[in-house]
Amino acid sequence: MQLSIVGSGYVGTTIAACFAEVGHDVVNVDIDEEIVASLNAGDAPIHEPGLDDLVAEHAGDRLRATTDYGAVRDTDVTFLALPTPSEADGHIDLSIMKAGARSLGAALAEKDGHHLVVTKSTVVPTTTEEVIAPILAAESGKTLGGDLDVGMNPEFLREGSAVEDFLDPDKVVLGSETERGASLLRDVFDPLVAQADDPPVVETGVAEAEMIKYANNGFLAAKISLANDIANICKEYGIDSEEVLSAIGLDHRIGSSFLGAGVGWGGSCFPKDVAAIIAAARDVGYDPAMLEAAVEVNDRQPVRLLERLRDHVDPDGARVAVLGLAFKPGTDDVRNSRAIPLVEALLDANADVVGYDPVATENFRETFPGIDYADSAESALDGADAALVVTDWPEFADLDSAFDSMSTPVVVDGRRIVTRRDGIVYESLV
Ligand code: UGA
C-alpha cells in the first residue's frame, strides 16, 4: 500500500521504517528539513536499536521523506504521528495535532478519491472524531464517512526497543467507525501481523482505541506505583521488598513485569499521559482516585530517596554523585527523568552535585548547565561524600573498588542495582 506518516519523531520514524520493512511504500512528512534530509540520506534521525539498518535499507526505495504535505495525495492512508505535549495543568496540548490536521486537510483538498487518516499520537478520548475529523473535513472539502474516513491506532512501543516492539507487538488495536476504514486498517496491518508472532488484533471504535492507550499506560504507571507503595511499607518494616514483589509476580493474575520498585517512573509518556487522562476525567466529572494516587506515590519517591541520604549525610556543602541521568537505561532521553527533581532538591539543599550517565549527560546539561559532570562513574565517585543511584544502568551493578575513592562511602540506591559489599554504607530506597 501507499502510506504517508506525518511526523518523524520517535514513533513516526520507527513506524515509517517498519511499514517499509513489511512491504509498504512509505513517505514521511515533516516540517524539519534536517530530519527529512537525514532520512533521505539513509540515516535514522534518532537512535533506536535496529532502526539505522531499516532506514539504510529502505531509504530511496520504499521509504522517502519530504517537507511537502502534497505527497500525501499519492497515498491511501495517512498516519498522524505528531507530538501531544502537556499543558501546565496536565491537559493535553493539541495545537501541533490541529496544525498538522489543517495542513493535511488542505493537501487532501486536491486529492480525488477516498483517503483514510489514522491518529497514531496519544490523544484523549473523542479527539479524533471531535477535533481532528472536523478540521480535516473543513480543509479538504471531503465528506466524513464518504470519501474521508478517520481511524485510531494507538502505539505501544517503548524507547530503546521501538523497532522490536513495533514489529512484534503484544497486540494491534485498530479503531474505526466505518467498514471502509476498518478494512483499510486491516490491509495496512495484515503484512505486519503475518510476520509477527501471531498478535491478537483488536478491532474497536475510535474513542475506545484512544482510551486503550491511556488505560495501558495508566495501568502500568499505577502498577509501578503500587509496587513502590508496597516496597515502602517493606522498607519501614525492614522486609526485603524484592523478595515480596518477585513472589507476588508469580501469580499469573499479577505478572512479574513492571513491578520494579525504586525511584519511580519518568520519560516522555507515563507522566504526560497519566496527567492528561486525569485532567480529561475531571473535565467529564470523574475524580480518578487511583491514577491520582499513582502520581502522588511517584512524586514522593525522590523525596524519600533524599530522606535516606539525610539519614547518613547532610547534603549542605556535601559532594553528591548522581549516578544515572536518563529516565531509564538504554536511552539518552532525560525527559521527566527522576534525576531532575533529585538534582533540583540537592541544589536547594546547597549540595555540590556531580552527575554521571553513560549517554545522557549532554541532554541533562541543557537543563542543569551549572553542575559538574563526570565522564565515568569512577570519577563521579572520586572524593564524593555520597552517591545516589537514579537509573538502573547495568554498569552500576559492577561498581566495586570505585567506592573506595569516595570521601565517605555512602551509597543510596534508588534502583537496587548496586552490589552490596563490605566497606560501603549501603542504603536502598526500597
Ligand atoms: C512507555 C510504555 O511502556 C510503552 O508501552 C508506551 O508505548 C510508551 O510509554 C509511550 O506511551 O510512548 P517508555 O516511556 O519508553 O514506554 O518506557 P518504559 O520502559 O515503560 O519505562 C517508563 C518508566 O517506568 C521509566 O522511568 C522506568 O525506569 C520506569 N519503570 C519501569 C519502573 O520504575 N519500574 C518498572 O518495573 C518498569
Side-chain angles (χ1 to χ4, degrees):
M1 292 177 83
Q2 306 294 320
L3 305 182
S4 42
I5 317 285
V6 174
S8 22
Y10 246 95
V11 170
T13 308
T14 304
I15 70 170
C18 291
F19 276 139
E21 173 70 6
V22 299
H24 296 307
D25 277 323
V26 185
V27 58
N28 209 317
V29 182
D30 200 286
I31 52 171
D32 188 319
E33 285 175 12
E34 246 177 71
I35 290 178
V36 165
S38 158
L39 271 171
N40 284 331
D43 296 323
I46 52 162
H47 173 71
E48 269 297 322
L51 188 63
D52 279 341
D53 290 347
L54 292 187
V55 171
E57 186 178 341
H58 299 299
D61 180 19
R62 291 209 291 268
L63 174 66
R64 68 183 186 91
T66 176
T67 54
D68 175 16
Y69 268 85
V72 302
R73 287 193 284 272
D74 298 326
T75 67
D76 313 302
V77 182
T78 302
F79 285 83
L80 277 173
L82 291 167
T84 50
S86 286
E87 290 177 353
D89 64 358
H91 278 95
I92 188 170
D93 174 354
L94 290 173
S95 52
I96 302 172
M97 283 295 278
K98 288 181 188 167
R102 276 193 295 274
S103 303
L104 175 60
L108 291 175
E110 288 163 47
K111 177 183 175 178
D112 294 327
H114 180 268
H115 203 84
L116 172 66
V117 178
V118 182
T119 305
K120 190 59 155 164
S121 311
T122 302
V123 293
V124 294
T126 73
T127 300
T128 300
E129 289 166 286
E130 291 182 8
V131 180
I132 307 297
I135 294 174
L136 291 170
E139 295 287 339
S140 67
K142 289 184 175 296
T143 311
L144 281 163
D147 53 356
L148 175 68
D149 280 303
V150 291
M152 163 71 198
N153 166 235
E155 185 48 58
F156 304 102
L157 61 78
R158 290 162 298 175
E159 278 186 34
S161 53
V163 169
E164 195 188 316
D165 288 347
F166 187 76
L167 288 176
D168 194 11
D170 280 356
K171 58 182 177 283
V172 172
V173 176
L174 306 179
S176 174
E177 299 296 327
T178 62
E179 189 36 53
R180 188 168 192 177
S183 160
L184 274 167
L185 269 172
R186 249 175 257 136
D187 293 346
V188 172
F189 278 92
D190 274 352
L192 186 138
V193 169
Q195 59 79 53
D197 193 14
D198 207 16
V201 177
V202 179
E203 295 202 12
T204 186
V206 170
E208 283 77 7
E210 291 168 332
M211 188 63 196
I212 287 168
K213 171 68 188 189
Y214 283 102
N216 219 90
N217 273 1
F219 201 98
L220 290 171
K223 190 178 181 189
I224 300 167
S225 281
L226 185 53
N228 281 331
D229 224 12
I230 289 167
N232 291 340
I233 299 171
C234 291
K235 176 74 182 175
E236 298 303 328
Y237 270 108
I239 293 169
D240 187 337
S241 63
E242 234 167 45
E243 289 193 14
V244 171
L245 290 167
S246 61
I248 67 167
L250 298 174
D251 187 322
H252 74 276
R253 295 168 301 175
I254 295 175
S256 58
S257 54
F258 279 62
L259 284 180
V263 73
W265 35 271
S268 63
C269 303
F270 284 177
K272 162 179 88 74
D273 292 351
V274 176
I277 198 62
I278 288 175
R282 287 183 187 144
D283 287 348
V284 292
Y286 180 73
D287 183 24
M290 292 288 285
L291 292 172
E292 285 166 1
V295 174
E296 190 186 330
V297 171
N298 200 52
D299 288 345
R300 275 201 228 137
Q301 293 307 87
V303 178
R304 286 180 62 86
L305 192 73
L306 282 180
E307 284 167 4
R308 297 294 74 75
L309 172 70
R310 284 180 198 276
D311 290 343
H312 301 278
V313 172
D314 178 0
D316 189 352
R319 176 98 169 153
V320 180
V322 175
L323 301 185
L325 306 170
F327 87 91
K328 67 173 183 181
T331 178
D332 64 356
D333 194 338
V334 299
R335 285 175 290 176
N336 270 304
S337 162
R338 301 291 77 199
I340 294 172
L342 273 166
V343 169
E344 274 167 0
L346 286 169
L347 293 175
D348 285 348
N350 196 32
D352 169 22
V353 179
V354 51
Y356 166 70
D357 191 281
V359 294
T361 301
E362 288 319 310
N363 288 337
F364 203 78
R365 201 194 295 272
E366 283 173 24
T367 312
F368 292 100
I371 65 168
D372 286 345
Y373 292 93
D375 55 13
S376 67
E378 286 76 6
S379 70
L381 292 172
D382 195 11
D385 299 301
L388 296 181
V389 181
V390 184
T391 314
D392 36 347
W393 284 105
E395 66 173 71
F396 298 151
D398 301 328
L399 289 171
D400 187 357
S401 56
F403 294 119
D404 297 334
S405 66
M406 292 178 73
S407 177
T408 48
V410 172
V411 180
V412 185
D413 190 348
R415 298 285 180 186
R416 285 194 60 155
I417 178 134
V418 168
T419 312
R420 294 169 202 220
R421 46 156 279 210
D422 289 342
I424 62 171
V425 178
Y426 179 87
E427 177 80 49
S428 67
L429 168 64
V430 288

